[in-house]
Amino acid sequence: MRLTTKSEYSLLALIFIARHEDSGFVKIEDICIKYDIPKKYLEHLMMVLKQNGYTKTRRGAGGGYKLSRPAKSISVAEVIRLMDGALAPTDSVSKFFYWETPLQKEKKIIRLLKDIRDYVATTLEKASLADLV
């Protein structure tokens, strides 16, 4: 598993929004300034997060972004899967994005890679946005 900027920026934005939950809606400009994220890129990512039920928006002077669900109910794993796909080191051991690979011919390496997948997935599933605020 290797995170792309899609996952990294999405997680940073969601953490920022969770951290400022008591302040109401968060402006995208504030997130961009804090983490030096290009605004157009973050707008695209925020649209994906909104379409998938992680954020809600409000227009106008008091508008911006807010979490749609409590931060404690959003796992790091689900955000990474949304943005980058599988947490597994190879497609042939992925639970959600399975695809055959040449490695399947060797059962011992598949067992090792499944152990790695399970460790990474379990760790990231246990970690919520609330844990990172």
Side-chain angles (χ1 to χ4, degrees):
M1 177 192 78
R2 184 173 196 278
L3 298 183
T4 65
T5 56
K6 292 190 315 186
S7 284
E8 290 181 12
Y9 290 166
S10 296
L11 286 167
L12 289 173
L14 292 171
I15 291 166
F16 187 90
I17 293 167
R19 190 171 284 144
H20 295 89
E21 198 166 31
D22 295 339
S23 305
F25 286 81
V26 173
K27 301 237 179 274
I28 198 166
E29 293 83 7
D30 294 338
I31 301 168
C32 291
I33 291 168
K34 170 74 175 169
Y35 298 114
D36 195 28
I37 301 172
K39 185 178 179 192
K40 287 286 183 196
Y41 190 36
L42 187 57
E43 286 172 345
H44 169 72
L45 298 176
M46 295 306 290
M47 182 176 64
V48 172
L49 290 168
K50 180 183 176 194
Q51 290 170 344
N52 286 276
Y54 292 94
T55 61
K56 55 186 174 183
T57 60
R58 179 185 291 167
R59 293 181 180 227
Y65 291 87
K66 194 171 183 77
L67 295 180
S68 295
R69 304 180 351 216
K72 66 182 176 186
S73 73
I74 300 173
S75 76
V76 173
E78 64 186 283
V79 176
I80 293 171
R81 282 191 190 107
L82 173 66
M83 294 300 178
D84 286 340
L87 300 177
T90 184
D91 293 339
S92 58
V93 297
S94 177
K95 286 184 179 181
F96 297 99
F97 302 93
Y98 175 83
W99 196 259
E100 289 186 14
T101 69
L103 284 175
Q104 288 176 250
K105 296 172 184 157
E106 289 294 332
K107 299 300 180 197
K108 288 182 180 180
I109 194 161
I110 290 297
R111 268 185 271 154
L112 173 66
L113 294 174
K114 282 182 179 181
D115 288 346
I116 292 167
R117 174 208 62 201
D118 292 345
Y119 177 78
V120 169
T122 301
T123 303
L124 293 175
E125 287 289 349
K126 287 180 185 177
S128 72
L129 289 180
D131 296 328
L132 304 176
V133 174

